Amino acid sequence: MKITIGSDHGAVQLKEEVKMVLKEYGDIEVTDVGTFGTESVDYPDIAEKICADVVSGKADRGIALCGTGIGISIACNKVKGIRCALCNDVYSAKMSRQHNNANVLAMGGRVVGFGPAGEIVRAWVEGEFEGGRHERRVNKIMAIEQK
């Protein structure tokens, strides 16, 4: 699996922790699109880079991080083909994959601690889309982009 990850200045530390969790899998290729320091940057720019990789197929999924996760998740969801889920708990992460086929995970560096973030990432990475009745609903969500 290929995952593109990025954060603004408010989640640089969380990004590094998440990368360590992803490394545990051994078979996940991670591309980090920044930022790499605490100097202020605009999260929409990071969101655009992550989502470009996902919609182009360069990455299978993306992980987007900012201070709260809210702004970057909103920006991600403006990109056609993206289903970004802001998850602050394991259950939401699991359901975002199983029921919504989320292709981008968002979290907040000032909201989620390192330990819980690792569990959220694991649930999301390991989650599989169930299809079935959920496929119909995801298709309806994606059809909204065409209007």
Side-chain angles (χ1 to χ4, degrees), residues 8-130:
D8 74 355
H9 56 282
V12 172
Q13 290 178 321
L14 180 62
K15 181 180 67 164
E16 294 306 314
E17 293 292 325
V18 169
K19 285 166 50 177
M20 288 180 5
V21 169
L22 295 172
K23 189 175 183 179
E24 293 172 6
Y25 286 91
D27 61 347
I28 295 177
E29 181 182 319
V30 177
T31 300
D32 185 341
V33 295
T35 196
F36 302 101
T38 56
E39 184 176 324
S40 182
V41 298
D42 297 333
Y43 58 79
D45 298 332
I46 303 298
E48 195 169 16
K49 291 176 184 179
I50 296 164
C51 295
D53 279 6
V54 174
V55 296
S56 72
K58 182 178 176 184
D60 301 302
R61 299 188 200 166
I63 297 178
L65 310 167
C66 71
T68 63
I70 297 167
I72 204 160
S73 68
I74 292 170
C76 287
N77 279 315
K78 295 294 183 182
V79 177
K80 186 176 182 178
I82 295 299
R83 292 174 306 282
C84 179
L86 172 57
C87 298
N88 294 319
D89 61 85
V90 172
Y91 182 74
S92 296
K94 182 178 175 182
M95 291 298 103
S96 78
R97 289 289 308 134
Q98 289 181 355
H99 291 189
N100 309 115
N101 202 14
N103 54 9
V104 177
L105 169 67
M107 292 188 295
R110 297 177 183 141
V111 177
V112 180
F114 297 156
E119 295 305 311
I120 290 166
V121 168
R122 287 180 189 94
W124 187 76
V125 165
E126 295 169 16
E128 295 291 330
F129 183 50
E130 291 179 355

